[in-house]
Amino acid sequence: MYETDPRTVLTLDAGGTNLIFSAIAGNRELVQPVHFHSVPDNLDKMLNTLVAGFETVQRQLATPPVAISFAFPGPADYAHGIIGDLPNFPSFRGGVALGPFLERKFGIPVFINNDGNLFAYGEALSGALPEINVLLEKAGSTKRYRNLLGLTLGTGFGAGAVIDNRLLTGDNGCGGDVWVFRNKQYGDMICEESVSIRAIRRVYGELTGSDASSLTPLDIFEIAEGKRQGDRQAACESFRQFGEVAGDVISQALTIIDGVVVLGGGLTGAAKYFMPALLKEMRSEIKTFAGDRFPRLQMQVFNLDSPEERADFVREKAISVTIPQSDVHTRYHHVRQTPVICSKLGASRAIALGAYAYAIAKLDRHC
């Protein structure tokens, strides 16, 4: 959407361990990303590191940036740039006015949002959403999509929603916060307890009766693949449970958002093991006390990473109907479809593009 925009925005992907700084103009990265170590337990050192990172990138630019825009973990008052009480950033407890601090240092607007929101925004404007519409157009289909639910699968379970090219932030900055949905498997738990890196490790440990604290999701994936010693069945089951709970949450969210579903984050590398359960949940049925059964979703679900399902998805399904008392025909899209796809941009790039687009859109609205 902003491929020809000449304005430059400084970006950052912030985590409890690493800080990745960059600069984008026209949806293109202008520099090699700059990596700094996060200092989550010392506020002054953390603030100085953030300034140093942005300054390092800024020195490499031919033109001055018009804004800073980046992802930072929540909870936060993103609208005012204030970061709240973060479990993995203890020095921010009590609230830190990070946005205003950086605005005073650099003299340009600063926009902060969470990674789930910016991931979804990047995929909606420059990733999965336009990619899917191009596929439909090339196939001769008249169907087009405008809405997107983006989900990040990694340390936590992040999400964001984009409605007709507008990011859903919510009145309290909580739009897209699916991580606190009820857990299908454990009714008094948040769903993130089953949809996260720690969930894969926990379930594998429970099923094998072993201490899995030193195992990474990659280790467990390699056990499932038979490339590493361990309980292959337990490894596969760990990902299956992950997929079931994720599919339940996505189904609930889709009843409101009704759009493209794109998955990102490190755990998508294990999609072959969790995707079947995720799709099965989205395609399941629910019933009434009278015994009637209904599809969990009103839309047919297509896995676009499957060549067969992708070909079926893009096939034109609309039919022609006659307007009553006339000879005029109109198109009837009687088949409802929802595509699910893993990010081709990658979470980090999608977040950076989302941060860039979010800043440019905010600047344009205030002009």
Side-chain angles (χ1 to χ4, degrees), residues 292-343:
D292 298 318
R293 302 185 72 86
F294 298 92
R296 177 74 185 271
L297 291 169
Q298 296 184 58
M299 305 82 77
Q300 294 182 31
V301 178
F302 290 81
N303 176 14
L304 293 200
D305 292 322
S306 159
E308 295 79 15
E309 292 193 32
R310 178 185 290 236
D312 189 12
F313 170 78
V314 301
R315 181 173 53 83
E316 176 64 273
K317 300 179 182 67
I319 60 175
S320 179
V321 296
T322 304
I323 298 174
Q325 301 180 6
S326 78
D327 295 327
V328 180
H329 291 76
T330 189
R331 196 170 297 278
Y332 174 28
H333 287 275
H334 64 296
V335 178
R336 299 165 175 170
Q337 301 185 142
T338 287
V340 180
I341 189 170
C342 289
S343 171

Side-chain angles (χ1 to χ4, degrees), residues 214-231:
S214 63
L215 294 177
T216 68
L218 178 58
D219 294 333
I220 298 172
F221 173 78
E222 290 182 343
I223 292 171
E225 292 278 273
K227 296 178 180 179
R228 183 185 179 98
Q229 188 174 1
D231 188 326

